[in-house]
Amino acid sequence: MRRDIALPAPPPAERHDWQTIKTLFPYLWHWRGRVLLALACLVGAKLANVAVPIVFKQIVDGFTPATPAQAFLIAPLALIAAYGVLRFGVSLFTELRELLFTRVTQRAVRTIALQVFEHLHALSLRFHLERQTGGLTRDIERGTRAIGTLISYTIFSVLPTIVEVALVLGILAARYEPSFALIAAATLVVYVAYTIVLSNWRVHLRREVNELDSAANTRAIDSLLNYETVKYFNNEAWEKARYDQQMQKWEAAQIKSQISLSYLNLGQSLIIAAGVTLMMWRAALGVMDGSMTVGDIVLVNAFLIQLYIPLNFLGVLYREIRQSLTDIERLFALLKENREIQDAPDARVLEPGPCAVRFENVGFAYEPRRQILHDVSFEISAGRTLAVVGHSGSGKSTLARLMFRFYDVGSGAIRINGHDIRQLTQASLRAAIGIVPQDTVLFNDTIEYNIRYGRPTASFEEVRAAARAAHLAEFIERLPDGYDTRVGERGLKLSGGEKQRVAIARALLKNPPILIFDEATSALDSKTEKAIQAELEQAAIGRTTLIIAHRLSTVMNADEIVVLDAGRIVERGTHRDLLERGGAYAQMWALQQQEERNAVAASV
């Protein structure tokens, strides 16, 4: 039986909390007016909150027997009114602060999320082939949520508590003996130190929980994305066991985290209880010796409650702030991910119009140890068609990826109208190329949306015309919802041939000067392939066309055919020329013709 070997935990990552805060600060300071007003409201709320116990003390003292009854009718009534106004003032300033800061928080989250989204689309295909979608989406989700959490806890919880602590300690020191302020300050210092020490100890537990959560999410999404494969091999139980294995680790880590949290909470409660007991004992002595009134002991008690209620959550706040900084750091790390393919500083826009394509001694390797293309050279004149054929793995599809600049060539150059594509803006380069890929993946939306994706501004009539050109209109019109039919995740509700025809319609709607057909009819039956082949040839008229094909019958009419073998061009010429030479192309042709005859004989 296979056993998973427990690997040693990785060393804790170096934290860059201040760097993260510095990176986040400009997004908030852009709204400096609102920020400053919100901070003013924060101070106003805390001043009102601290004033409430002071007024309440005066009211209590007004009830003492030594107070004349007539004086009580005037002064305490005014104090009671002031008490109500201050209570309302606390709520008023707090809500104003929330209203002012809401736009700041949400706009910062939106701006950063958009930047990350844009940056991820700007990263190379290599990054996206190596990424783990589940973990990546969870990092983005946690990072954007952490921005709101960090702002909420620091501006709305920690900062108000600091302001209130400073005010209370100042009042205690000014009005009473120094021992009151010393007891309160000592209790706060011990409480904060204990909280920080234990929270730091708990950090690795929280990090482990998050890492296991991301790993479980990655495993679940990977399994769901491959739903059909799971069903093909009857591996539901296997997938459930793998997912449960990850969730068991997550469960154990969560339990450890909760136990450590209980230790933290008990210690905090003990420190607060000791501090409150000392303060009340000292206040009771003051009342007994006549140096303090009953109102004073009420005031001291109210101050203690106001201080320690928010401090009860200090451990949670500290942990969440540290975790939020970690999550935001991961989000900003995505923004720092290197863009392998970037526009040159002096990149120019490719002018609209006919395009000629030339590969000049192109060499390329996905990895240094595995060369894919060797010294490949060919030219496609504007409006002409060139086909590239060869066995699987010969490097045919790599040519399309290089033309789109998903990767840069290792040596040589690719030129369009004489311009090295590395000196063109990526946007103008890709706008000039339309492609029907071998593996068509559709958005989980309607058929109309997926066709219109080729040119989002196209009218519905143009969408229908593209569908007709791809021999798709008749199929769509038979559907109950027609063009509003949803295609499902990655287009799984459609057959392979239907998806490929949607891709053809999408490319035709884009109407680019350069067309690439990468095994464009590989998922079609012979009858549909012949019908669409005529449409593709019609669409290619006047356009520079690169056809990448395995079926040689689809490239017979190309102006030139290039034969690739192990990344090298071994033959080139027209269909007739290559057959007459009796080389690699002729052998491939003979083999495919024999396969077709065998298939026909088997179907009879």
Side-chain angles (χ1 to χ4, degrees), residues 286-552:
V287 173
M288 290 173 63
D289 64 20
S291 62
M292 296 178 68
T293 66
V294 174
D296 287 321
I297 200 170
V298 170
L299 175 64
V300 170
N301 184 64
F303 275 162
L304 290 175
I305 292 172
Q306 284 186 192
L307 282 182
Y308 293 134
I309 285 178
L311 284 176
N312 265 329
F313 301 100
L314 181 62
V316 175
L317 294 176
Y318 180 75
R319 185 190 72 235
E320 291 298 329
I321 287 172
R322 280 183 65 90
Q323 186 57 49
S324 295
L325 286 168
T326 299
D327 292 339
I328 295 170
E329 184 179 335
R330 288 183 179 179
L331 188 69
F332 286 151
L334 291 174
L335 284 173
K336 295 176 184 175
E337 194 73 39
N338 181 47
R339 294 188 183 188
E340 183 179 338
I341 308 299
Q342 299 190 59
D343 285 344
D346 57 346
R348 59 185 299 170
V349 174
L350 179 63
E351 301 85 355
C355 294
V357 178
R358 187 164 73 250
F359 276 62
E360 295 180 350
N361 307 111
V362 170
F364 176 74
Y366 292 108
E367 299 174 1
R369 294 175 296 176
R370 184 185 169 213
Q371 190 76 10
I372 302 297
L373 298 177
H374 304 265
D375 198 29
V376 172
S377 298
F378 59 79
E379 183 172 358
I380 316 173
S381 301
R384 307 286 283 179
T385 298
L386 180 137
V388 179
V389 299
H391 299 293
S392 297
S394 60
K396 303 187 301 296
S397 294
T398 299
L399 300 175
R401 290 179 171 181
L402 292 176
M403 280 185 65
F404 269 97
R405 251 199 109 194
F406 290 158
Y407 304 93
D408 276 335
V409 298
S411 59
I414 301 173
R415 300 185 184 277
I416 296 180
N417 289 346
H419 306 299
D420 190 323
I421 63 172
R422 289 169 292 191
Q423 298 302 316
L424 298 172
T425 62
Q426 295 176 69
S428 67
L429 169 67
R430 291 167 188 157
I433 307 174
I435 186 169
V436 179
Q438 181 177 0
D439 299 316
T440 300
V441 177
L442 303 181
F443 291 96
N444 189 3
D445 211 299
T446 64
I447 291 178
E448 180 187 351
Y449 176 86
N450 277 282
I451 296 175
R452 182 178 271 121
Y453 202 78
R455 184 157 46 92
T457 57
S459 67
F460 180 65
E461 285 304 317
E462 290 175 310
V463 170
R464 290 183 62 183
R468 284 194 297 269
H471 284 251
L472 190 63
E474 185 178 344
F475 160 75
I476 295 174
E477 288 162 4
R478 288 199 307 266
L479 297 171
D481 295 325
Y483 284 85
D484 292 327
T485 302
R486 300 190 73 87
V487 302
E489 189 81 30
R490 298 184 298 132
L492 290 177
K493 289 185 179 180
L494 302 181
S495 70
E498 289 159 358
K499 285 198 297 183
Q500 207 147 31
R501 279 182 281 171
V502 171
I504 292 169
R506 188 162 58 188
L508 294 177
L509 184 63
K510 186 177 182 180
N511 194 27
I514 302 174
L515 275 176
I516 300 176
F517 298 127
D518 186 1
E519 304 280 7
T521 60
S522 61
L524 304 179
D525 57 82
S526 299
K527 180 180 177 182
T528 306
E529 180 187 37
K530 290 178 181 177
I532 291 182
Q533 189 64 38
E535 296 293 344
L536 294 181
E537 291 177 2
Q538 184 66 30
I541 294 175
R543 292 189 176 92
T544 306
T545 306
L546 174 64
I547 302 175
I548 297 167
H550 176 71
R551 293 185 192 173
L552 304 187

Side-chain angles (χ1 to χ4, degrees), residues 72-319:
F72 172 74
L73 292 174
I74 300 173
L77 285 177
L79 288 172
I80 289 171
Y83 180 85
V85 170
L86 287 170
R87 278 287 185 193
F88 177 73
V90 173
S91 298
L92 176 64
F93 282 121
T94 300
E95 292 305 318
L96 283 175
R97 180 198 67 189
E98 294 275 0
L99 289 172
L100 286 167
F101 227 96
T102 294
R103 182 178 291 273
V104 178
T105 304
Q106 303 309 322
R107 184 58 60 86
V109 171
R110 173 187 164 196
T111 302
I112 294 170
L114 281 173
Q115 285 186 358
V116 172
F117 182 77
E118 181 183 23
H119 185 71
L120 288 175
H121 277 288
L123 294 177
S124 71
L125 181 62
R126 194 188 310 274
F127 170 85
H128 288 280
L129 291 176
E130 293 175 354
R131 75 168 189 241
Q132 290 184 311
T133 304
L136 179 66
T137 55
R138 191 57 69 93
D139 282 344
I140 295 172
E141 175 191 344
R142 276 201 298 253
T144 51
R145 187 175 62 239
I147 294 170
T149 301
L150 179 66
I151 293 172
S152 175
Y153 284 159
T154 53
I155 303 298
F156 300 157
S157 297
V158 175
L159 187 57
T161 301
I162 292 172
V163 171
E164 192 163 12
V165 166
L167 289 172
V168 168
L169 290 178
I171 292 171
L172 289 175
R175 292 178 62 103
Y176 304 107
E177 290 185 7
S179 58
F180 284 93
L182 287 173
I183 292 172
T187 304
L188 290 172
V189 169
V190 173
Y191 182 93
V192 171
Y194 175 81
T195 300
I196 290 175
V197 169
L198 257 74
S199 295
N200 284 337
W201 172 66
R202 296 187 67 243
V203 164
H204 78 279
L205 296 176
R206 290 296 304 169
R207 183 182 292 119
E208 183 182 3
V209 167
N210 280 345
E211 288 173 353
L212 290 171
D213 178 49
S214 291
N217 192 59
T218 297
R219 183 162 290 181
I221 288 180
D222 190 44
S223 178
L224 291 172
L225 287 175
N226 290 280
Y227 168 85
E228 288 181 274
T229 305
V230 174
K231 290 293 184 182
Y232 288 151
F233 294 94
N234 197 31
N235 275 338
E236 294 91 340
W238 167 254
E239 289 297 325
K240 178 184 175 183
R242 290 178 72 238
Y243 183 57
D244 187 48
Q245 183 184 53
Q246 203 67 44
M247 291 301 293
Q248 284 177 10
K249 295 177 183 177
W250 172 83
E251 179 186 9
Q254 279 282 39
I255 292 171
K256 286 182 186 177
S257 179
Q258 185 57 47
I259 291 171
S260 67
L261 179 60
S262 296
Y263 285 136
L264 176 63
N265 290 338
L266 284 172
Q268 288 173 331
S269 298
L270 179 61
I271 294 169
I272 290 174
V276 170
T277 302
L278 283 173
M279 288 285 280
M280 295 308 296
W281 171 75
R282 185 64 191 83
L285 290 178
V287 173
M288 290 173 63
D289 64 20
S291 62
M292 296 178 68
T293 66
V294 174
D296 287 321
I297 200 170
V298 170
L299 175 64
V300 170
N301 184 64
F303 275 162
L304 290 175
I305 292 172
Q306 284 186 192
L307 282 182
Y308 293 134
I309 285 178
L311 284 176
N312 265 329
F313 301 100
L314 181 62
V316 175
L317 294 176
Y318 180 75
R319 185 190 72 235

